[in-house]
Amino acid sequence: LDGGNAWYRRGFKISEEDRGKRISVYFEGVTNCCTVYVNSCLAKRNFCGYVPFEVDITDYLYYGDEPNVIAVHIDNSSHEGWWYDGGGIYRNVWLIKTDMVSLDTWGVYVAPKKISDTEWEVPIETTVRNDDFKNHRVAVKNEILDEDGNVVAEVTNNLNVALKYKAVLNQKVTVTNPRLWDCENPNLYYCRTTIYRGNRAVDEVRNHFGFRTIRFDANKGFFLNDKHVIIKGVCSHEDYGLQGKAVFDRIKRY
């Protein structure tokens, strides 16, 4: 199918109360190559239709009653695959407002490791960004919650973040007898990460994960929690027949 190129334009206003915050736009997916302009300023280019990306628009904004315009140009003259790529903005787009000191995009990495029959070590890597023009010292609190919202482990450490820079903090907690994730019982836990400046929480995110072991054996196959599991899959490209590519979330879930 012939895609063609296109433009998107969207007007919006930013309150004076948001002055001094970091403001960005998060695109979940744009096919194929795109260029993002904010108030006629080049802000971002992205060259893959299958990965999300963030555009920091803080320095381009007007506040109060003066409108802002974001424009996205789609270059659909090339394709990434032999299947139907579609074209344009086909996933959700979000306006994000944070403190000048905040968690980086995709800034929390949780990787539990089994250390005994009853105990699991949970390393947590947290990346904090400082978009301010001065250094900041923050507290990073990570809590592990079960599906009922109970805190089963937590850790807090201080971190110095230089101006216009990022800092990485590595922490560890131990969880005893967690409910394991498997195909029949997909038990999930949550890592709640909170950043404090003084006594004030300035940012918080949650990331879900499961406790499970995986291993591959060249002769016997795949093992999940030391149980042999046959992997069954389907080659499902991201298009939905006559409904096209930009569809409601419930269709993706289906």
Side-chain angles (χ1 to χ4, degrees):
L1 298 175
D2 184 18
N5 302 335
W7 283 92
Y8 292 82
R9 288 171 58 86
R10 174 68 180 266
F12 61 100
K13 293 182 179 180
I14 298 294
S15 170
E16 279 288 349
E17 298 176 355
D18 292 324
R19 191 183 291 274
K21 296 180 181 179
R22 178 178 183 265
I23 300 178
S24 61
V25 178
Y26 181 79
F27 292 85
E28 291 185 358
V30 182
T31 298
N32 197 309
C33 300
C34 75
T35 307
V36 181
Y37 300 88
V38 181
N39 293 330
S40 300
C41 297
L42 174 60
K44 184 79 171 182
R45 287 191 173 98
N46 190 67
F47 302 105
C48 178
Y50 293 92
V51 293
F53 62 94
E54 182 187 41
V55 186
D56 189 331
I57 65 172
T58 309
D59 294 338
Y60 309 118
L61 291 175
Y62 304 123
Y63 295 87
D65 293 331
E66 189 168 359
N68 298 275
V69 175
I70 184 168
V72 181
H73 179 252
I74 309 299
D75 182 352
N76 207 35
S77 56
S78 63
H79 297 277
E80 295 185 63
W82 53 263
W83 55 87
Y84 173 60
D85 270 328
I89 300 174
Y90 70 97
R91 296 178 184 165
N92 295 325
V93 183
W94 304 89
L95 182 68
I96 301 174
K97 304 174 184 179
T98 68
D99 191 84
M100 279 297 190
V101 180
S102 62
L103 287 158
D104 198 17
T105 307
W106 316 299
V108 180
Y109 176 59
V110 184
K113 300 177 182 179
K114 185 177 181 178
I115 56 177
S116 74
D117 290 339
T118 59
E119 290 192 327
W120 289 67
E121 181 182 85
V122 185
I124 308 169
E125 181 183 281
T126 306
T127 303
V128 180
R129 62 181 301 144
N130 179 9
D131 291 273
D132 205 354
F133 284 97
K134 58 183 179 181
N135 302 332
H136 285 283
R137 183 174 176 82
V138 300
V140 179
K141 183 178 183 180
N142 272 298
E143 302 167 283
I144 306 300
L145 296 85
D146 62 21
E147 290 183 291
D148 299 322
N150 302 309
V151 177
V152 298
E154 64 178 82
V155 61
T156 303
N157 293 103
N158 292 324
L159 180 67
N160 295 317
V161 193
L163 60 94
K164 294 293 180 179
Y165 210 66
K166 298 179 182 180
V168 177
L169 177 66
N170 289 290
Q171 300 166 298
K172 290 181 181 179
V173 296
T174 301
V175 177
T176 304
N177 293 320
R179 296 189 293 252
L180 299 185
W181 184 98
D182 60 31
C183 299
E184 290 75 31
N185 302 286
N187 297 305
L188 289 178
Y189 284 72
Y190 294 83
C191 179
R192 181 169 62 194
T193 307
T194 310
I195 304 298
Y196 293 89
R197 288 174 60 185
N199 296 321
R200 184 170 66 95
V202 296
D203 202 4
E204 179 183 300
V205 298
R206 289 191 179 197
N207 289 281
H208 62 265
F209 67 96
F211 288 90
R212 83 287 184 274
T213 63
I214 59 174
R215 64 182 175 90
F216 288 89
D217 185 283
N219 298 312
K220 298 181 180 179
F222 173 68
F223 289 81
L224 174 66
N225 298 326
D226 291 324
K227 177 183 176 183
H228 183 237
V229 175
I230 297 176
I231 297 176
K232 300 177 181 179
V234 60
C235 182
S236 177
H237 292 299
E238 192 171 21
D239 59 65
Y240 304 93
L242 295 178
Q243 299 192 68
K245 189 166 181 173
V247 297
F248 294 109
D249 289 346
R250 65 176 181 269
I251 296 177
K252 295 180 182 292
R253 286 192 292 268
Y254 174 80

mmCIF file with all atom_site columns, all heavy atoms in Angstrom, residues 149-167:
data_model
loop_
_atom_site.group_PDB
_atom_site.id
_atom_site.type_symbol
_atom_site.label_atom_id
_atom_site.label_alt_id
_atom_site.label_comp_id
_atom_site.label_asym_id
_atom_site.label_entity_id
_atom_site.label_seq_id
_atom_site.pdbx_PDB_ins_code
_atom_site.Cartn_x
_atom_site.Cartn_y
_atom_site.Cartn_z
_atom_site.occupancy
_atom_site.B_iso_or_equiv
_atom_site.pdbx_formal_charge
_atom_site.auth_seq_id
_atom_site.auth_comp_id
_atom_site.auth_asym_id
_atom_site.auth_atom_id
_atom_site.pdbx_PDB_model_num
ATOM 1   N N   . GLY A 1 149 ? -0.411 -4.728 47.585 1.00 0.00 ? 149 GLY A N   1
ATOM 2   C CA  . GLY A 1 149 ? 0.046  -3.416 48.012 1.00 0.00 ? 149 GLY A CA  1
ATOM 3   C C   . GLY A 1 149 ? 0.876  -3.424 49.281 1.00 0.00 ? 149 GLY A C   1
ATOM 4   O O   . GLY A 1 149 ? 1.196  -2.354 49.807 1.00 0.00 ? 149 GLY A O   1
ATOM 5   N N   . ASN A 1 150 ? 1.240  -4.597 49.780 1.00 0.00 ? 150 ASN A N   1
ATOM 6   C CA  . ASN A 1 150 ? 2.061  -4.684 50.992 1.00 0.00 ? 150 ASN A CA  1
ATOM 7   C C   . ASN A 1 150 ? 3.535  -4.487 50.646 1.00 0.00 ? 150 ASN A C   1
ATOM 8   O O   . ASN A 1 150 ? 4.037  -5.059 49.672 1.00 0.00 ? 150 ASN A O   1
ATOM 9   C CB  . ASN A 1 150 ? 1.885  -6.049 51.658 1.00 0.00 ? 150 ASN A CB  1
ATOM 10  C CG  . ASN A 1 150 ? 0.436  -6.331 52.016 1.00 0.00 ? 150 ASN A CG  1
ATOM 11  O OD1 . ASN A 1 150 ? -0.223 -5.516 52.653 1.00 0.00 ? 150 ASN A OD1 1
ATOM 12  N ND2 . ASN A 1 150 ? -0.076 -7.484 51.585 1.00 0.00 ? 150 ASN A ND2 1
ATOM 13  N N   . VAL A 1 151 ? 4.237  -3.679 51.441 1.00 0.00 ? 151 VAL A N   1
ATOM 14  C CA  . VAL A 1 151 ? 5.668  -3.456 51.242 1.00 0.00 ? 151 VAL A CA  1
ATOM 15  C C   . VAL A 1 151 ? 6.424  -4.633 51.852 1.00 0.00 ? 151 VAL A C   1
ATOM 16  O O   . VAL A 1 151 ? 6.350  -4.878 53.051 1.00 0.00 ? 151 VAL A O   1
ATOM 17  C CB  . VAL A 1 151 ? 6.123  -2.138 51.877 1.00 0.00 ? 151 VAL A CB  1
ATOM 18  C CG1 . VAL A 1 151 ? 7.631  -1.964 51.724 1.00 0.00 ? 151 VAL A CG1 1
ATOM 19  C CG2 . VAL A 1 151 ? 5.397  -0.957 51.237 1.00 0.00 ? 151 VAL A CG2 1
ATOM 20  N N   . VAL A 1 152 ? 7.162  -5.351 51.021 1.00 0.00 ? 152 VAL A N   1
ATOM 21  C CA  . VAL A 1 152 ? 7.893  -6.525 51.500 1.00 0.00 ? 152 VAL A CA  1
ATOM 22  C C   . VAL A 1 152 ? 9.383  -6.249 51.655 1.00 0.00 ? 152 VAL A C   1
ATOM 23  O O   . VAL A 1 152 ? 10.092 -7.039 52.291 1.00 0.00 ? 152 VAL A O   1
ATOM 24  C CB  . VAL A 1 152 ? 7.671  -7.728 50.563 1.00 0.00 ? 152 VAL A CB  1
ATOM 25  C CG1 . VAL A 1 152 ? 6.191  -8.107 50.529 1.00 0.00 ? 152 VAL A CG1 1
ATOM 26  C CG2 . VAL A 1 152 ? 8.166  -7.432 49.154 1.00 0.00 ? 152 VAL A CG2 1
ATOM 27  N N   . ALA A 1 153 ? 9.872  -5.139 51.108 1.00 0.00 ? 153 ALA A N   1
ATOM 28  C CA  . ALA A 1 153 ? 11.270 -4.742 51.279 1.00 0.00 ? 153 ALA A CA  1
ATOM 29  C C   . ALA A 1 153 ? 11.411 -3.293 50.842 1.00 0.00 ? 153 ALA A C   1
ATOM 30  O O   . ALA A 1 153 ? 10.637 -2.811 49.997 1.00 0.00 ? 153 ALA A O   1
ATOM 31  C CB  . ALA A 1 153 ? 12.205 -5.635 50.473 1.00 0.00 ? 153 ALA A CB  1
ATOM 32  N N   . GLU A 1 154 ? 12.372 -2.586 51.417 1.00 0.00 ? 154 GLU A N   1
ATOM 33  C CA  . GLU A 1 154 ? 12.608 -1.200 51.021 1.00 0.00 ? 154 GLU A CA  1
ATOM 34  C C   . GLU A 1 154 ? 14.026 -0.783 51.345 1.00 0.00 ? 154 GLU A C   1
ATOM 35  O O   . GLU A 1 154 ? 14.684 -1.367 52.217 1.00 0.00 ? 154 GLU A O   1
ATOM 36  C CB  . GLU A 1 154 ? 11.614 -0.251 51.690 1.00 0.00 ? 154 GLU A CB  1
ATOM 37  C CG  . GLU A 1 154 ? 11.696 -0.180 53.191 1.00 0.00 ? 154 GLU A CG  1
ATOM 38  C CD  . GLU A 1 154 ? 10.706 0.826  53.751 1.00 0.00 ? 154 GLU A CD  1
ATOM 39  O OE1 . GLU A 1 154 ? 9.524  0.465  53.913 1.00 0.00 ? 154 GLU A OE1 1
ATOM 40  O OE2 . GLU A 1 154 ? 11.139 1.962  54.024 1.00 0.00 ? 154 GLU A OE2 1
ATOM 41  N N   . VAL A 1 155 ? 14.505 0.238  50.630 1.00 0.00 ? 155 VAL A N   1
ATOM 42  C CA  . VAL A 1 155 ? 15.843 0.770  50.857 1.00 0.00 ? 155 VAL A CA  1
ATOM 43  C C   . VAL A 1 155 ? 15.845 2.231  50.436 1.00 0.00 ? 155 VAL A C   1
ATOM 44  O O   . VAL A 1 155 ? 15.176 2.622  49.477 1.00 0.00 ? 155 VAL A O   1
ATOM 45  C CB  . VAL A 1 155 ? 16.897 -0.042 50.065 1.00 0.00 ? 155 VAL A CB  1
ATOM 46  C CG1 . VAL A 1 155 ? 16.625 0.021  48.567 1.00 0.00 ? 155 VAL A CG1 1
ATOM 47  C CG2 . VAL A 1 155 ? 18.304 0.444  50.378 1.00 0.00 ? 155 VAL A CG2 1
ATOM 48  N N   . THR A 1 156 ? 16.602 3.066  51.176 1.00 0.00 ? 156 THR A N   1
ATOM 49  C CA  . THR A 1 156 ? 16.718 4.496  50.873 1.00 0.00 ? 156 THR A CA  1
ATOM 50  C C   . THR A 1 156 ? 18.179 4.917  50.978 1.00 0.00 ? 156 THR A C   1
ATOM 51  O O   . THR A 1 156 ? 18.861 4.577  51.954 1.00 0.00 ? 156 THR A O   1
ATOM 52  C CB  . THR A 1 156 ? 15.875 5.345  51.830 1.00 0.00 ? 156 THR A CB  1
ATOM 53  O OG1 . THR A 1 156 ? 14.500 4.923  51.771 1.00 0.00 ? 156 THR A OG1 1
ATOM 54  C CG2 . THR A 1 156 ? 15.955 6.826  51.470 1.00 0.00 ? 156 THR A CG2 1
ATOM 55  N N   . ASN A 1 157 ? 18.659 5.644  49.967 1.00 0.00 ? 157 ASN A N   1
ATOM 56  C CA  . ASN A 1 157 ? 20.015 6.176  49.979 1.00 0.00 ? 157 ASN A CA  1
ATOM 57  C C   . ASN A 1 157 ? 20.018 7.575  49.386 1.00 0.00 ? 157 ASN A C   1
ATOM 58  O O   . ASN A 1 157 ? 19.143 7.920  48.587 1.00 0.00 ? 157 ASN A O   1
ATOM 59  C CB  . ASN A 1 157 ? 20.973 5.293  49.177 1.00 0.00 ? 157 ASN A CB  1
ATOM 60  C CG  . ASN A 1 157 ? 21.196 3.937  49.801 1.00 0.00 ? 157 ASN A CG  1
ATOM 61  O OD1 . ASN A 1 157 ? 20.641 2.944  49.354 1.00 0.00 ? 157 ASN A OD1 1
ATOM 62  N ND2 . ASN A 1 157 ? 21.999 3.869  50.859 1.00 0.00 ? 157 ASN A ND2 1
ATOM 63  N N   . ASN A 1 158 ? 21.008 8.366  49.772 1.00 0.00 ? 158 ASN A N   1
ATOM 64  C CA  . ASN A 1 158 ? 21.174 9.699  49.212 1.00 0.00 ? 158 ASN A CA  1
ATOM 65  C C   . ASN A 1 158 ? 22.027 9.643  47.943 1.00 0.00 ? 158 ASN A C   1
ATOM 66  O O   . ASN A 1 158 ? 22.850 8.738  47.760 1.00 0.00 ? 158 ASN A O   1
ATOM 67  C CB  . ASN A 1 158 ? 21.835 10.626 50.227 1.00 0.00 ? 158 ASN A CB  1
ATOM 68  C CG  . ASN A 1 158 ? 20.925 10.911 51.410 1.00 0.00 ? 158 ASN A CG  1
ATOM 69  O OD1 . ASN A 1 158 ? 19.717 11.036 51.265 1.00 0.00 ? 158 ASN A OD1 1
ATOM 70  N ND2 . ASN A 1 158 ? 21.509 10.997 52.598 1.00 0.00 ? 158 ASN A ND2 1
ATOM 71  N N   . LEU A 1 159 ? 21.821 10.647 47.092 1.00 0.00 ? 159 LEU A N   1
ATOM 72  C CA  . LEU A 1 159 ? 22.518 10.699 45.810 1.00 0.00 ? 159 LEU A CA  1
ATOM 73  C C   . LEU A 1 159 ? 22.764 12.146 45.428 1.00 0.00 ? 159 LEU A C   1
ATOM 74  O O   . LEU A 1 159 ? 21.854 12.979 45.500 1.00 0.00 ? 159 LEU A O   1
ATOM 75  C CB  . LEU A 1 159 ? 21.680 10.010 44.728 1.00 0.00 ? 159 LEU A CB  1
ATOM 76  C CG  . LEU A 1 159 ? 22.261 9.959  43.313 1.00 0.00 ? 159 LEU A CG  1
ATOM 77  C CD1 . LEU A 1 159 ? 23.506 9.065  43.273 1.00 0.00 ? 159 LEU A CD1 1
ATOM 78  C CD2 . LEU A 1 159 ? 21.217 9.454  42.319 1.00 0.00 ? 159 LEU A CD2 1
ATOM 79  N N   . ASN A 1 160 ? 24.000 12.459 45.026 1.00 0.00 ? 160 ASN A N   1
ATOM 80  C CA  . ASN A 1 160 ? 24.336 13.785 44.518 1.00 0.00 ? 160 ASN A CA  1
ATOM 81  C C   . ASN A 1 160 ? 24.227 13.776 43.000 1.00 0.00 ? 160 ASN A C   1
ATOM 82  O O   . ASN A 1 160 ? 24.792 12.899 42.325 1.00 0.00 ? 160 ASN A O   1
ATOM 83  C CB  . ASN A 1 160 ? 25.760 14.175 44.927 1.00 0.00 ? 160 ASN A CB  1
ATOM 84  C CG  . ASN A 1 160 ? 25.905 14.334 46.428 1.00 0.00 ? 160 ASN A CG  1
ATOM 85  O OD1 . ASN A 1 160 ? 25.053 14.909 47.090 1.00 0.00 ? 160 ASN A OD1 1
ATOM 86  N ND2 . ASN A 1 160 ? 26.991 13.815 46.983 1.00 0.00 ? 160 ASN A ND2 1
ATOM 87  N N   . VAL A 1 161 ? 23.481 14.761 42.471 1.00 0.00 ? 161 VAL A N   1
ATOM 88  C CA  . VAL A 1 161 ? 23.290 14.854 41.026 1.00 0.00 ? 161 VAL A CA  1
ATOM 89  C C   . VAL A 1 161 ? 23.779 16.219 40.560 1.00 0.00 ? 161 VAL A C   1
ATOM 90  O O   . VAL A 1 161 ? 23.238 17.259 40.974 1.00 0.00 ? 161 VAL A O   1
ATOM 91  C CB  . VAL A 1 161 ? 21.807 14.663 40.640 1.00 0.00 ? 161 VAL A CB  1
ATOM 92  C CG1 . VAL A 1 161 ? 21.693 14.448 39.135 1.00 0.00 ? 161 VAL A CG1 1
ATOM 93  C CG2 . VAL A 1 161 ? 21.192 13.495 41.387 1.00 0.00 ? 161 VAL A CG2 1
ATOM 94  N N   . ALA A 1 162 ? 24.805 16.215 39.719 1.00 0.00 ? 162 ALA A N   1
ATOM 95  C CA  . ALA A 1 162 ? 25.380 17.472 39.247 1.00 0.00 ? 162 ALA A CA  1
ATOM 96  C C   . ALA A 1 162 ? 24.432 18.178 38.291 1.00 0.00 ? 162 ALA A C   1
ATOM 97  O O   . ALA A 1 162 ? 23.562 17.560 37.669 1.00 0.00 ? 162 ALA A O   1
ATOM 98  C CB  . ALA A 1 162 ? 26.713 17.203 38.559 1.00 0.00 ? 162 ALA A CB  1
ATOM 99  N N   . LEU A 1 163 ? 24.598 19.503 38.173 1.00 0.00 ? 163 LEU A N   1
ATOM 100 C CA  . LEU A 1 163 ? 23.733 20.299 37.306 1.00 0.00 ? 163 LEU A CA  1
ATOM 101 C C   . LEU A 1 163 ? 23.825 19.821 35.859 1.00 0.00 ? 163 LEU A C   1
ATOM 102 O O   . LEU A 1 163 ? 24.890 19.467 35.367 1.00 0.00 ? 163 LEU A O   1
ATOM 103 C CB  . LEU A 1 163 ? 24.076 21.778 37.414 1.00 0.00 ? 163 LEU A CB  1
ATOM 104 C CG  . LEU A 1 163 ? 25.494 22.237 37.032 1.00 0.00 ? 163 LEU A CG  1
ATOM 105 C CD1 . LEU A 1 163 ? 25.568 22.693 35.580 1.00 0.00 ? 163 LEU A CD1 1
ATOM 106 C CD2 . LEU A 1 163 ? 25.953 23.353 37.956 1.00 0.00 ? 163 LEU A CD2 1
ATOM 107 N N   . LYS A 1 164 ? 22.664 19.791 35.198 1.00 0.00 ? 164 LYS A N   1
ATOM 108 C CA  . LYS A 1 164 ? 22.561 19.382 33.796 1.00 0.00 ? 164 LYS A CA  1
ATOM 109 C C   . LYS A 1 164 ? 23.240 18.035 33.544 1.00 0.00 ? 164 LYS A C   1
ATOM 110 O O   . LYS A 1 164 ? 23.919 17.831 32.531 1.00 0.00 ? 164 LYS A O   1
ATOM 111 C CB  . LYS A 1 164 ? 23.158 20.459 32.869 1.00 0.00 ? 164 LYS A CB  1
ATOM 112 C CG  . LYS A 1 164 ? 22.398 21.770 32.851 1.00 0.00 ? 164 LYS A CG  1
ATOM 113 C CD  . LYS A 1 164 ? 21.021 21.601 32.224 1.00 0.00 ? 164 LYS A CD  1
ATOM 114 C CE  . LYS A 1 164 ? 20.236 22.890 32.203 1.00 0.00 ? 164 LYS A CE  1
ATOM 115 N NZ  . LYS A 1 164 ? 18.910 22.736 31.580 1.00 0.00 ? 164 LYS A NZ  1
ATOM 116 N N   . TYR A 1 165 ? 23.036 17.095 34.468 1.00 0.00 ? 165 TYR A N   1
ATOM 117 C CA  . TYR A 1 165 ? 23.715 15.807 34.361 1.00 0.00 ? 165 TYR A CA  1
ATOM 118 C C   . TYR A 1 165 ? 22.822 14.715 34.917 1.00 0.00 ? 165 TYR A C   1
ATOM 119 O O   . TYR A 1 165 ? 21.747 14.981 35.456 1.00 0.00 ? 165 TYR A O   1
ATOM 120 C CB  . TYR A 1 165 ? 25.051 15.858 35.118 1.00 0.00 ? 165 TYR A CB  1
ATOM 121 C CG  . TYR A 1 165 ? 26.120 14.969 34.550 1.00 0.00 ? 165 TYR A CG  1
ATOM 122 C CD1 . TYR A 1 165 ? 26.657 15.201 33.280 1.00 0.00 ? 165 TYR A CD1 1
ATOM 123 C CD2 . TYR A 1 165 ? 26.605 13.889 35.286 1.00 0.00 ? 165 TYR A CD2 1
ATOM 124 C CE1 . TYR A 1 165 ? 27.644 14.388 32.763 1.00 0.00 ? 165 TYR A CE1 1
ATOM 125 C CE2 . TYR A 1 165 ? 27.596 13.063 34.772 1.00 0.00 ? 165 TYR A CE2 1
ATOM 126 C CZ  . TYR A 1 165 ? 28.109 13.319 33.511 1.00 0.00 ? 165 TYR A CZ  1
ATOM 127 O OH  . TYR A 1 165 ? 29.088 12.500 33.004 1.00 0.00 ? 165 TYR A OH  1
ATOM 128 N N   . LYS A 1 166 ? 23.292 13.474 34.821 1.00 0.00 ? 166 LYS A N   1
ATOM 129 C CA  . LYS A 1 166 ? 22.580 12.323 35.370 1.00 0.00 ? 166 LYS A CA  1
ATOM 130 C C   . LYS A 1 166 ? 23.480 11.591 36.356 1.00 0.00 ? 166 LYS A C   1
ATOM 131 O O   . LYS A 1 166 ? 24.703 11.632 36.239 1.00 0.00 ? 166 LYS A O   1
ATOM 132 C CB  . LYS A 1 166 ? 22.150 11.354 34.254 1.00 0.00 ? 166 LYS A CB  1
ATOM 133 C CG  . LYS A 1 166 ? 21.186 11.935 33.240 1.00 0.00 ? 166 LYS A CG  1
ATOM 134 C CD  . LYS A 1 166 ? 20.842 10.913 32.169 1.00 0.00 ? 166 LYS A CD  1
ATOM 135 C CE  . LYS A 1 166 ? 19.920 11.494 31.112 1.00 0.00 ? 166 LYS A CE  1
ATOM 136 N NZ  . LYS A 1 166 ? 19.569 10.496 30.058 1.00 0.00 ? 166 LYS A NZ  1
ATOM 137 N N   . ALA A 1 167 ? 22.852 10.910 37.312 1.00 0.00 ? 167 ALA A N   1
ATOM 138 C CA  . ALA A 1 167 ? 23.584 10.101 38.281 1.00 0.00 ? 167 ALA A CA  1
ATOM 139 C C   . ALA A 1 167 ? 22.877 8.765  38.441 1.00 0.00 ? 167 ALA A C   1
ATOM 140 O O   . ALA A 1 167 ? 21.643 8.689  38.360 1.00 0.00 ? 167 ALA A O   1
ATOM 141 C CB  . ALA A 1 167 ? 23.696 10.817 39.624 1.00 0.00 ? 167 ALA A CB  1
#
